[in-house]
Amino acid sequence: MAQSNESTVSEFVLLGLSKSWSLQLFLFTIFSVIYVTSVLGNVMIIVIILSDTHLNSPMYFLLGNLSFIDICQSNFATPKMLVDFFVEHKTISFEGCMAQIFLLHSFVGSEMMLLVAMGYDRFVAICKPLHYNLIMNRRVCIIFVSISWAVGILHSVSHLAFTVNLPFCGPNKVDSFFCDLPLVIKLACMDTYRMEILTLVNSGLISLSCFLALIVSYIIIFVTVRHQASSGSSKSLYTLAAHITVVILFFGPCIYFYIWPFSRLSMDKFLSVFYTICTPLLNPVIYSLRNEDVKSALRKLRNRHVNPSTTTVICQQVIFIATRMT
């Protein structure tokens, strides 16, 4: 790491998604809608959970924290990407590039662990319902959220500790719209094989272990629900289906990137877009606006604070769009 003094690159050039002006304008329109919808949707979920006492449960506490992480993830690179659609020479400073790497891996690592916590919450609620309030109390939920952030930050710092000291002495073009860690490492003026293996082991282990833990817990939950004859079984199965959908859509691209992190294919930019821009929209659409408790709380909030005659149609349209998207 003593080679860090050889670094002469002060900025990186982001090649973006396309050089076609018409296509960039189209993408700007689409991604702007997704970005605004994602941020407002997640903010709305947090407001609803905080304002409705009926949603004062561990599941919604974790869901609110998931929305906060999704808001953070929406803002680490997307605003710059939207601005860069109108900039011919897309650049980012060395410090800004390192900040993007740190933020992305912090948010992604935290969300992985939080999804595991949410899976555990559903496991206890369905498999041990009589002990649910005792096991999943507020203190345990706070510990889960704290561990999620701690793991995410440590995961990110472990990447950044060696990346920031790599010797960047010439090549500085990143074939993406943000500083993707494997692409940045490839620009170093040295043999990066060991760094590639470290990245693969670090990120691959956390993503695969979280994914396998969730799959095992959902299999146990599914078997338990199948053997239940109560009226709440269908609701539990519906909630489980929402969780599994988010897990697959979230972990799918993540595991793909970390299994083949340094052999880039033509579809990788599409997956990067989905992973960084579209994933934060999963929480409002799949978890929340399809949830009857959340929709009921939204109607109560609207009737309490806003004139119903001017907002009924808007709220109905939001719920209708969310339903069609899923």
Side-chain angles (χ1 to χ4, degrees):
M1 296 304 175
Q3 292 174 301
S4 60
N5 292 331
E6 298 177 13
S7 299
T8 58
V9 172
S10 60
E11 66 178 17
F12 292 95
V13 177
L14 303 176
L15 300 183
L17 297 174
S18 173
K19 294 183 179 179
S20 168
W21 166 247
S22 57
L23 181 57
Q24 288 190 79
L25 192 60
F26 172 75
L27 293 176
F28 171 81
T29 304
I30 297 298
F31 294 153
S32 294
V33 172
I34 295 176
Y35 170 70
V36 172
T37 304
S38 174
V39 173
L40 292 181
N42 282 293
V43 169
M44 181 183 68
I45 291 171
I46 294 174
V47 171
I48 290 173
I49 291 174
L50 292 176
S51 62
D52 196 307
T53 56
H54 293 91
L55 301 182
N56 187 24
S57 68
M59 184 181 79
Y60 291 109
F61 176 80
L62 297 174
L63 192 63
N65 280 276
L66 182 66
S67 287
F68 178 74
I69 294 177
D70 283 337
I71 293 171
C72 295
Q73 187 174 335
S74 296
N75 287 282
F76 93 96
T78 305
K80 176 171 173 51
M81 180 198 69
L82 295 176
V83 172
D84 281 347
F85 278 128
F86 299 96
V87 178
E88 183 176 356
H89 191 58
K90 305 172 178 60
T91 61
I92 184 171
S93 68
F94 180 86
E95 294 78 11
C97 184
M98 295 301 110
Q100 281 194 344
I101 292 173
F102 173 78
L103 292 173
L104 173 62
H105 287 272
S106 293
F107 299 146
V108 171
S110 299
E111 185 155 349
M112 286 181 186
M113 296 302 297
L114 195 59
L115 287 173
V116 172
M118 294 175 69
Y120 179 74
D121 171 76
R122 292 299 85 203
F123 170 81
V124 176
I126 295 173
C127 299
K128 298 180 181 293
L130 298 179
H131 301 89
Y132 179 75
N133 292 329
L134 179 64
I135 297 174
M136 292 300 298
N137 54 57
R138 180 53 63 96
R139 178 174 172 271
V140 171
C141 291
I142 293 174
I143 290 175
F144 277 152
V145 172
S146 301
I147 291 176
S148 298
W149 278 104
V151 170
I153 292 173
L154 288 174
H155 166 66
S156 184
V157 168
S158 65
H159 280 309
L160 203 63
F162 63 79
T163 304
V164 74
N165 287 317
L166 289 176
F168 297 100
C169 55
N172 67 338
K173 292 184 178 180
V174 180
D175 189 14
S176 184
F177 60 93
F178 70 99
C179 282
D180 195 0
L181 178 61
L183 297 180
V184 172
I185 290 177
K186 277 289 190 182
L187 299 177
C189 302
M190 60 175 288
D191 182 5
T192 59
Y193 177 75
R194 290 184 178 180
M195 300 301 173
E196 295 172 10
I197 296 300
L198 284 174
T199 301
L200 175 61
V201 171
N202 186 352
S203 298
L205 280 179
I206 187 174
S207 57
L208 280 174
S209 59
C210 289
F211 181 71
L212 291 176
L214 285 166
I215 292 300
V216 170
S217 65
Y218 288 146
I219 290 174
I220 296 174
I221 293 172
F222 180 75
V223 172
T224 302
V225 170
R226 286 291 300 270
H227 287 84
Q228 288 179 348
S230 63
S231 59
S233 298
S234 59
K235 183 178 180 180
S236 299
L237 196 60
Y238 180 84
T239 304
L240 179 62
H243 280 248
I244 293 175
T245 302
V246 171
V247 166
I248 292 175
L249 292 176
F250 179 83
F251 280 93
C254 181
I255 293 174
Y256 167 82
F257 281 130
Y258 291 135
I259 290 179
W260 296 282
F262 298 96
S263 3
R264 293 293 175 171
L265 304 175
S266 57
M267 68 178 297
D268 288 1
K269 282 190 178 181
F270 168 78
L271 289 176
S272 295
V273 168
F274 177 82
Y275 194 65
T276 57
I277 300 174
C278 300
T279 297
L281 190 61
L282 296 178
N283 184 16
V285 172
I286 297 178
Y287 271 140
S288 304
L289 290 181
R290 297 273 294 181
N291 184 303
E292 289 299 327
D293 293 334
V294 174
K295 287 193 288 187
S296 175
L298 175 61
R299 285 190 288 268
K300 291 178 183 178
L301 183 66
R302 179 200 68 205
N303 294 333
R304 188 163 64 242
H305 297 286
V306 188
N307 184 356
S309 63
T310 60
T311 59
T312 300
V313 175
I314 295 176
C315 291
Q316 289 175 345
Q317 288 297 320
V318 169
I319 295 173
F320 173 75
I321 292 171
T323 303
R324 293 296 298 272
M325 290 180 70
T326 56

